[in-house]
Amino acid sequence: MANTPQSKKRARQNETRFAVNKARRSRIRTFLRKVEEAIASGDKEAATAALRAAQPELMRGVTKGVFHKNTASRKISRLAARVKAIA
C-alpha cells in the first residue's frame, strides 16, 4: 500500500483517471455499438449517420489517451468499409 504522501496522492489520481477513462471508453463503445446495430439492420443512412457521430468520439478518445491513434483509425476504416458494403 502507498506509504509516502506522494504515492498516496498518486493512488488517488490513478483512481480518478481510471473512472474518467472508463466512462470515456464506455461512451465510445456505445457509439460503436450504434454503428454495428445500424449495419446489422441494413439501413445505410442510419449506419452512415451513426458512423459520422462515432468518428469524432473515437478520435477524441485518442487525444485523451484512451485509445492508440492507429487503433482508432483501424476501427473507423473497418466500420466505413462495412457501411459502404451495405447494398
Side-chain angles (χ1 to χ4, degrees):
M1 186 55 205
N3 292 321
T4 64
Q6 180 181 5
S7 59
K8 287 178 182 174
K9 179 178 178 180
R10 251 325 179 180
R12 288 196 308 271
Q13 287 176 330
N14 286 340
E15 284 176 24
T16 309
R17 295 310 315 157
F18 176 74
V20 169
N21 287 337
K22 187 176 177 182
R24 274 208 186 97
R25 208 174 305 117
S26 173
R27 181 179 160 87
I28 292 168
R29 285 181 184 148
T30 302
F31 275 90
L32 294 179
R33 194 181 68 246
K34 287 178 184 171
V35 179
E36 293 283 350
E37 288 169 357
I39 291 171
S41 70
D43 187 358
K44 189 163 187 167
E45 280 120 32
T48 307
L51 181 61
R52 272 204 207 107
Q55 281 177 336
E57 282 298 322
L58 255 169
M59 288 327 245
R60 194 169 297 121
V62 171
T63 60
K64 300 296 182 183
V66 178
F67 286 115
H68 192 273
K69 185 179 177 185
N70 292 357
T71 305
S73 294
R74 183 181 67 241
K75 285 181 183 291
I76 290 172
S77 176
R78 289 179 181 176
L79 283 172
R82 286 173 60 197
V83 168
K84 189 177 178 184
I86 297 173

